[in-house]
Amino acid sequence: MSSTDTFGEARAAEERTARRLDLLHRTGSVVIGLGLWVFAVLGFVQRLDFFSTQGQPVLGLSSNGLLSAISVVFGAILIGAGIRGGRLSSTVQVVVGALFLLSGIVNVLVLNSDLNLLAFRMPNVIFSLVVGGMLLTVGSWGRFTGRLRADSPYSREHSVGTFEDPQLSPELSGIDLEGSAAEAAAARELAEAERAVAEHRARPEVVAEVRALAGVRRPEDRIHAWQQRHAGTAPS
């Protein structure tokens, strides 16, 4: 299998991972947004006092009209983000999740006081912390948390390079490839091959090809040598 095939497989794996992450982020955003809407609608049905600090029970939680209205707004934001796309819903979940955690911390300090404008009780505090944690976990999954997988679309954001394709390895990232599309393609293929070798997922023939270039020091020469080795296999 040629390096072009290896590069194509890596692209396909990245696309599959991107679709899974997109579905996870969008689904999480919509589901939690719908849950907030259900809570808000049940509060409106009971015609709760808007600014009551005592609140009335709704689904085991305390609520008033203001909390119902806020739930509608945040539910709409989450659902709208989930409809628009996975990257946006990921960002929105992280932001809203942080706000939920902050709400739980702040409201626990004002329980049973006149500053308890959202009529929180301890179950509300626990709910706010749990939902905030869920939003942060789902929203950051595969994007911010832990070591990003090589096939994660978000891992490309952390790569550095003067060429527009961020998959170039650090060794090749400072090369100006504007003059030749063929050299740019060869650089991408070589970068992916070197990455596959470093991560121990390359095929034996790819490992042999990369090791054959070990004596070539200059990155430009490595690209040219790689291009010459595969000149006969390139599609016409």
Side-chain angles (χ1 to χ4, degrees), residues 86-107:
R87 182 180 294 269
L88 177 61
S89 52
S90 168
T91 303
V92 168
Q93 284 180 89
V94 170
V95 174
V96 174
L99 292 176
F100 265 75
L101 291 178
L102 180 62
S103 173
I105 295 172
V106 170
N107 280 287

Side-chain angles (χ1 to χ4, degrees), residues 7-43:
F7 184 71
E9 287 183 356
R11 285 287 192 181
E14 181 179 314
E15 290 175 0
R16 289 193 298 270
T17 301
R19 286 194 294 269
R20 289 194 295 267
L21 288 175
D22 184 84
L23 179 61
L24 172 66
H25 293 152
R26 297 179 72 170
T27 301
S29 187
V30 171
V31 168
I32 295 178
L34 289 175
L36 292 177
W37 271 7
V38 170
F39 176 76
V41 168
L42 292 178

Side-chain angles (χ1 to χ4, degrees), residues 74-183:
F74 279 99
I77 292 173
L78 287 168
I79 293 172
I83 293 174
R84 287 293 300 273
R87 182 180 294 269
L88 177 61
S89 52
S90 168
T91 303
V92 168
Q93 284 180 89
V94 170
V95 174
V96 174
L99 292 176
F100 265 75
L101 291 178
L102 180 62
S103 173
I105 295 172
V106 170
N107 280 287
V108 77
L109 301 176
V110 298
L111 292 179
N112 303 318
S113 73
D114 293 337
L115 296 177
N116 189 15
L117 300 179
L118 300 180
F120 263 46
R121 295 291 179 267
M122 188 54 67
N124 296 70
V125 173
I126 296 173
F127 176 82
S128 185
L129 295 176
V130 170
V131 172
M134 290 174 56
L135 285 168
L136 282 174
T137 300
V138 176
S140 61
W141 189 265
R143 184 175 184 183
F144 304 117
T145 56
R147 183 178 182 274
L148 298 183
R149 291 177 42 165
D151 58 0
S152 170
Y154 298 109
S155 66
R156 300 175 62 185
E157 299 175 354
H158 299 275
S159 302
V160 180
T162 57
F163 182 77
E164 288 186 357
D165 191 334
Q167 290 199 75
L168 292 178
S169 65
E171 213 174 284
L172 307 175
S173 62
I175 303 173
D176 180 10
L177 299 177
E178 294 179 356
S180 171
E183 289 183 2

